[in-house]
């Protein structure tokens, strides 16, 4: 049994889920984190839909909670004639400090390219926020044995030229594991995270050894401990299991019971 090191991040991606009434669930997450107090070894983040960001951020601030808030996407520009889009500055203004960029659902649903993802990460940095850059292969690529090459290309092309471990995190999310209940073996996760680490070392990113590399894809309380104990895994990006406080808190607890 090893203890997770302080500084790991357990992040919840609520995707397109949540109405005003969901604040009750968020309040339970905040209360659960407060209850754990100093025993909490990981940092926590919730990325709700943008409609809920401001109210969640205000609630967290008013209770002095350590939970950070973030968004799931942004437009690369500061402002302008871009109907329906939201800038990184607006997200910061609403209380966000992280932006997930390049999630596979955005790459697939909206045709976002690596260049788009890079521009969004630059926007997050411009607004003084952290970018969580998502990469991950589909099943066909995994089966063809080309997953590492594919992820290298995504990573190198999506990473801003001037970034550091302070403002950039990577999330490895194999597409075939997202929302499916299927999870790669811990050995496969460790191998890909080691590969991502060595790829980062070949880029211009500052402090590549300190960059947090999160694993995402069907993380739940029962597998989180094992996944997060793998080398180079610095936390988790959690979709479905972040929507219920009990499940999300279970993952936080697994983070230091592995
Ligand atoms: P999941 O989603 O935990 O529901 O598999 C993860 C993600 O897409 O970030």
């Amino acid at each position: 049994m090893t203890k997770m090191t302080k500084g790991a991040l357990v992040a919840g991606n609520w995707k397109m889920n949540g109405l005003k009434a969901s604040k009750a669930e968020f309040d339970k997450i905040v209360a659960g984190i407060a209850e754990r107090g100093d025993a909490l070894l990981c940092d926590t983040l919730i990325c709700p839909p943008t409609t809920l960001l401001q109210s969640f951020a205000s609630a967290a601030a008013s209770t002095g909670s350590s939970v950070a808030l973030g968004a799931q996407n942004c437009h690369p520009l500061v402002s302008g004639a871009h109907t329906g889009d939201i800038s990184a500055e607006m997200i910061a203004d609403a209380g966000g400090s992280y932006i997930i960029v390049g999630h596979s659902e955005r790459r697939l649903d909206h045709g976002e390219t690596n260049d788009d993802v890079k521009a969004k990460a630059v926007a997050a940095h411009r607004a003084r926020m952290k970018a969580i850059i998502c990469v991950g292969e589909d099943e066909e690529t995994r089966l063809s044995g080309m997953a590492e090459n594919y992820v290298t290309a995504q990573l190198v092309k999506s990473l801003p030229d001037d970034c550091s471990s302070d403002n950039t995190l990577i999330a490895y999310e194999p597409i075939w594991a997202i929302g499916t209940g299927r999870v790669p073996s811990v050995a496969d996760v460790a191998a890909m995270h080691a590969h991502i680490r060595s790829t980062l070392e070949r880029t211009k990113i500052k402090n590549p050894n300190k960059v947090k590399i999160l694993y995402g894809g069907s993380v739940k309380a029962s597998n989180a401990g094992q996944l997060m104990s793998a080398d180079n895994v610095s936390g988790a990006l959690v979709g479905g299991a972040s929507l219920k406080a009990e499940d999300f808190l279970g993952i936080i607890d697994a983070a230091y019971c592995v």
Side-chain angles (χ1 to χ4, degrees), residues 125-147:
H125 296 161
R126 183 190 65 223
R128 302 191 186 288
M129 280 185 289
K130 296 177 200 278
I132 302 179
I133 300 175
C134 301
V135 293
E137 79 286 355
D138 63 16
E139 186 155 33
E140 207 186 325
T141 308
R142 164 66 54 175
L143 292 175
S144 71
M146 296 301 286

Side-chain angles (χ1 to χ4, degrees), residues 13 15 103 105 173 177-179 217-219 237-240:
N13 171 13
K15 307 191 180 184
H103 190 283
E105 286 152 15
E173 298 204 308
I178 295 176
S218 295
V219 174
L237 182 55
V238 186

Side-chain angles (χ1 to χ4, degrees), residues 168-208:
T168 304
L169 298 83
I170 309 299
Y172 169 57
E173 298 204 308
I175 296 172
W176 50 273
I178 295 176
T180 59
R182 294 168 56 206
V183 179
S185 69
V186 174
D188 282 350
V189 170
M192 183 59 90
H193 281 233
H195 175 74
I196 290 172
R197 179 77 65 206
S198 70
T199 303
L200 288 171
E201 280 162 1
R202 295 199 305 274
T203 68
K204 288 190 187 147
I205 193 165
K206 291 185 200 80
N207 304 321

